[in-house]
């Protein structure tokens, strides 16, 4: 059979949720198509191994175009290519968006998508045992909890945050919690829990759910303005699958705009450049790519570092560079390994401008689906982000210098104390900043001329097609985005189910 009620493209964070929730209705036949394999290498399950997955076959192995904000460098741009998608290679940090950062979505033209609207869906995703059930989910599919036995150096780092005036929070996912703490991790019984582990594997045997892996979608099929299915390649042969109700695109903030453009949905002039017939002229497809910039300070440790039991990042802090800001614009985290100092005991402080002003794009380089798109996250292209990163570096250094870390202290080796002046820090940041792996916003929902979907996530100008993934976010949550992707997907599943009831 190649006809289904729903065809979901991409089995990543959002696609796993949507396929699982839609197939709860036994009358709905659901096909989920994923380009990558059903399972990754063993390392994908080992929390401490996550950083080593970048550049492996579990990653699409894309790179950015030259980034003027990074002195013209092109940087690796990882995202997951396996069932579970980026949640199958990510750092397992589970942090919701700050209330005010999500409320911004309404102001950006997405009424009904404020924090309070999203809260029930954040709750629906998670099983956060022992937490306040008013704000936290206690019986959802994804088990989240802080590190059971945190690294002793991470606990010292938490003391350092406290010493520098960060309010230590029990639950960083409480709606307005600002400060530092042990963050929730998507680790269960010592292993990574991807969205596929939480949402798909428990329902694998449903007769109305088909999961096709190693199948790369190359384009959408339209009958007039109605999307009726997808074309995909599997085992070297071209095939199609039809959807009688809807195709749901969940190929991620890079894959989704790429597939839309390949299929004639996007900026008309750009599509015609590549000889693609225009189905709907939507200038916002691929525009507005937003990401978090990341840089790290690497320290040697003054003593041996015990091996990590978790994901290396158990403690984070959030800060405002300006007290008048509605939500923190800086995140600092402690990492119990110094990857840039191989063979030496060490640790690192990472920091990010989590409310960036820089914007970029995803655009075509070819009409051939096998050719990756041009990815331009525009990292540090807005001067304000560079200044925030300078301030963040100083905040991170302040924490690193606190007495609570004296027992662990060696010295900051990269960039080292000689890089301290404003201009030196700017120059160093232009060289060493990269992505925090959080692309969003390439098919924004809303009512602005640049929006791609309406607030029910239906693509403008066509029928039978929705986008449900990180692409639809009107702005980036000032936190790691995975929990927000899952919440958006929970809500979308409910909207789709209700429309087809
Ligand atoms: C290295 C790394 C570390 C990260 N760390 C964290 C973290 O600690 N915490 C956090 O909150 N966030 C983190 N993130 C980000 C987070 O994982 C993503 O925001 C989230 O997973 C995005 O979900 P998505 O559903 O939009 O896309 P994805 O999860 O990327 O899913 C897209 C899926 O679509 C598939 N696909 C794409 N194109 C096609 C096609 N043509 N045909 C078929 N299938 C296709 C892909 O293979 C993939 O499985 C990290 C990301 C990375 C890469």
């Amino acid at each position: 059979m190649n006809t289904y009620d729903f065809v979901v493209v991409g089995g990543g964070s959002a696609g796993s949720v949507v396929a699982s929730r839609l197939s709860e209705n036994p009358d709905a036949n659901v096909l989920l198509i994923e380009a990558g394999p059903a399972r990754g290498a063993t390392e994908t399950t080992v929390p401490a191994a996550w950083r080593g997955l970048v550049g492996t076959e579990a990653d699409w192995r894309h790179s950015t175009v030259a980034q003027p904000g990074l002195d013209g460098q092109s940087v690796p741009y990882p995202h997951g290519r396996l069932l579970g998608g980026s949640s199958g290679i990510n750092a397992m940090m589970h942090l919701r968006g700050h209330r005010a950062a999500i409320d911004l979505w309404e102001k950006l033209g997405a009424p009904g998508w404020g924090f309070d609207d999203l809260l029930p869906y954040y709750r629906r995703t998670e099983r956060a045992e022992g937490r306040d059930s008013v704000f936290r989910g206690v019986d959802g599919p994804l088990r989240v909890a802080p590190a059971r036995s945190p690294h002793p150096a991470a606990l010292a780092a938490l003391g350092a945050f406290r010493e520098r005036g960060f309010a230590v929070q029990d639950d960083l996912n409480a709606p307005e919690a600002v400060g530092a703490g042990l963050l929730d991790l998507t680790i269960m019984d010592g292993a990574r829990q991807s969205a596929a582990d939480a949402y798909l594997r428990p329902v694998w045997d449903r007769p109305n759910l088909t999961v096709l892996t190693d199948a790369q979608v190359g384009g959408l099929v339209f009958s007039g303005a109605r999307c009726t299915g997808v074309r995909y390649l599997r085992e070297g042969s071209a095939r199609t699958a039809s959807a009688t109700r809807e195709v749901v695109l969940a190929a991620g903030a890079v894959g989704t705009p790429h597939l839309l453009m390949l299929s004639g949905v996007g900026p008309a002039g750009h599509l015609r450049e590549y000889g693609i017939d225009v189905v709907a002229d939507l200038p916002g497809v691929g525009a507005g790519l937003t990401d978090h910039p990341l840089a790290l300070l690497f320290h040697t440790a003054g003593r041996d570092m015990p091996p990590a039991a978790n994901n290396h990042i158990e403690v984070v802090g959030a800060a405002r560079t300006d007290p008048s800001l509605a939500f923190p614009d800086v995140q600092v985290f402690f990492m119990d390994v110094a990857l840039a100092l191989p063979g030496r005991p060490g640790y690192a402080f990472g920091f990010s401008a989590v409310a960036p002003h820089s914007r970029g794009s995803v655009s075509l380089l070819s009409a051939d689906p096998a050719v990756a798109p041009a990815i331009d996250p525009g990292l540090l292209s807005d001067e304000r982000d560079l200044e925030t990163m300078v301030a963040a570096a100083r905040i991170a250094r302040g924490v690193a210098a606190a007495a609570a870390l004296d027992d662990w202290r060696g010295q900051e080796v990269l960039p080292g104390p000689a890089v301290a002046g404003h201009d030196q820090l700017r120059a160093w940041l232009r060289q060493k900043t990269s992505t925090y792996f959080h692309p969003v916003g390439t098919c924004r929902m809303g009512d602005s001329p640049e929006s791609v979907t309406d607030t029910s996530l239906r693509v403008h100008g066509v029928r039978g097609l929705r986008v449900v993934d990180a692409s639809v976010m009107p702005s980036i949550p000032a936190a790691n985005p995975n929990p927000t992707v899952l919440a958006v997907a929970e809500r979308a599943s409910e909207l789709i189910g209700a429309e087809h009831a």
Side-chain angles (χ1 to χ4, degrees), residues 362-452:
V362 172
S363 56
L364 292 174
L365 287 173
S366 166
D368 177 354
V371 177
I375 304 170
D376 177 9
L379 291 166
L380 301 188
S381 57
D382 188 306
E383 270 290 310
R384 291 171 290 182
D385 296 346
L386 182 57
E387 286 303 310
T388 305
M389 287 295 277
V390 170
R394 294 204 160 113
I395 294 169
R397 273 188 168 158
V399 177
L405 273 163
D406 281 354
D407 278 355
W408 296 92
R409 191 180 320 286
Q411 53 188 332
E412 186 193 296
V413 177
L414 293 171
V419 178
H422 185 251
D423 289 348
Q424 287 169 308
L425 279 169
R426 280 173 62 96
W428 170 70
L429 284 163
R430 289 236 189 258
Q431 275 294 308
K432 293 296 178 192
T433 297
S434 192
T435 168
Y436 198 0
F437 323 115
H438 297 163
V440 308
T442 47
C443 298
R444 277 166 289 159
M445 69 166 115
D447 53 15
S448 73
E450 286 264 293
S451 68
V452 172

Side-chain angles (χ1 to χ4, degrees), residues 462-483:
V462 296
R463 281 172 290 125
L465 183 61
R466 242 177 259 250
V467 173
V468 182
D469 60 24
S471 321
V472 299
M473 293 187 191
S475 63
I476 196 161
N480 312 59
N482 195 49

